[in-house]
Structures are given as structure tokens and as C-alpha cells.
Amino acid sequence: MAQQRTFSIIKPDATRRNLTGAINAKIEASGLRIIAQKRIHMTSEQAGEFYAVHKERPFYGELVEFMTSGPVVVQVLEGDDAVAAYRGVMGATNPADADEGTIRKEFAESIEANSVHGSDSLENAAIEIAHFFNDDEIVG
Ligand code: ATP
Ligand code: MG
């Protein structure tokens, strides 16, 4: 399998409940490596742009509000087939549908407050990573 990089966010519901370490333990146990990391408080502009693909959805306004409701941890993950591998570790968007052992099954509060984000394609991973990190902040 090819080495890939993907983009991860630990969302405000998880930082609020002090779950950063527990979530990253699951990520690292899967074999993925955390090669960049910072804690930030997103502005409405940043969150709105990040989820712009959902602009027409009824939950967009609440989603932007949620993503700016507290700090988040943005990260770059590296490993074999990292985009799909991390989506597997995260579990389904709705925790009610997530497999046992996944981050969302164990920690998510709801379909909105679902603890983590992960890129959905290699192309979007590269765009998202470049949006939050300079090259010299990524140390593989
Ligand atoms: P993410 O992009 O955050 O990794 P995802 O790719 O699993 O999640 P998307 O369909 O891209 O799911 O939705 C983006 C985010 O919008 C979800 O993670 C969740 O926080 C929120 N969301 C999705 N569907 C709903 C919904 N029906 N009601 C409320 N919030 C939702
Ligand atoms: Mg998505």
C-alpha cells in the first residue's frame, strides 16, 4: 500500500471532554503517525470555508457554530493508505451507525458533535493540509 497523508481534526465536543489523548491513542494504535499537530480556535470564516461543501445543507449554520464553540486540534496523519485507514478508525458520520471500536462509536455525542474529522479523498487531504500547515510544520 502507498504511503499517504490525511488531515484530521479533533472537534470541540472532544477537546471539551478532555479526549484528545484517548482519540490519538486510537489513531496511533492503528499504525498511523501524527506528523503535525496544533491546537487552534477556528474563526467562523475558517469553519465556514472548511465546510463550504455543505453550505446548502440545513445543518450548515449549526455546524459552523459547533466548530467554533471551543478549541480544536488540527493534525496531519501519515501511513499506509492513510485516507481510507483513518476513515475506518473514525467510523461512520452518525455514531449510531459506527462500528464497534471506532472513535465515533466510543466518543461521539451525536451526528453533529461526532468528535473527529477526516479527509474524504487524497485530493481533499492535500488541500486541507495546505490550508492549516506550512511545509516546515510537518515533520514525518
Ligand atoms: P467530516 O467531514 O467532519 O469528517 P463526514 O465526512 O463523516 O465528517 P460529512 O457528510 O462530510 O461527514 O459531514 C460533515 C460534518 O457535518 C459531520 O462530521 C457532522 O459534524 C456534520 N453533519 C453531517 N450530517 C449532519 C446532520 N444530518 N445533522 C447535523 N450535522 C451533520
Ligand atoms: Mg466530510
Side-chain angles (χ1 to χ4, degrees):
M1 286 283 193
Q3 286 285 299
Q4 293 179 346
R5 289 178 176 182
T6 192
F7 180 67
S8 157
I9 303 178
I10 300 177
K11 295 183 179 181
D13 67 287
T15 60
R16 187 177 298 125
R17 288 176 291 149
N18 223 14
L19 292 172
T20 300
I23 287 171
N24 279 338
K26 279 192 180 290
I27 289 172
E28 292 188 330
S30 79
L32 291 164
R33 304 185 68 82
I34 301 165
I35 61 168
Q37 184 181 62
K38 60 186 165 194
R39 186 172 171 101
I40 62 171
H41 198 136
M42 280 195 190
T43 64
S44 297
E45 289 69 32
Q46 274 179 310
E49 192 183 327
F50 185 75
Y51 280 124
V53 65
H54 297 304
K55 201 155 37 187
E56 306 307 325
R57 311 279 288 275
F59 58 80
Y60 177 72
E62 274 189 17
L63 177 59
V64 170
E65 210 171 291
F66 163 62
M67 290 300 289
T68 58
S69 67
V72 300
V73 180
V74 292
Q75 313 189 118
V76 180
L77 310 181
E78 185 173 73
D80 284 346
D81 203 18
V83 172
Y86 178 47
R87 296 286 298 193
V89 175
M90 286 182 357
T93 308
N94 186 345
D97 301 329
D99 289 339
E100 286 300 328
T102 60
I103 292 168
R104 283 167 167 170
K105 177 72 176 187
E106 199 157 324
F107 301 122
E109 294 182 314
S110 67
I111 190 170
E112 177 183 79
N114 59 5
S115 303
V116 281
H117 159 80
S119 307
D120 58 12
S121 67
L122 199 50
E123 190 192 359
N124 283 339
I127 293 167
E128 292 170 3
I129 289 167
H131 198 82
F132 287 94
F133 290 99
N134 296 319
D135 281 349
D136 65 0
E137 294 175 312
I138 303 171
V139 184

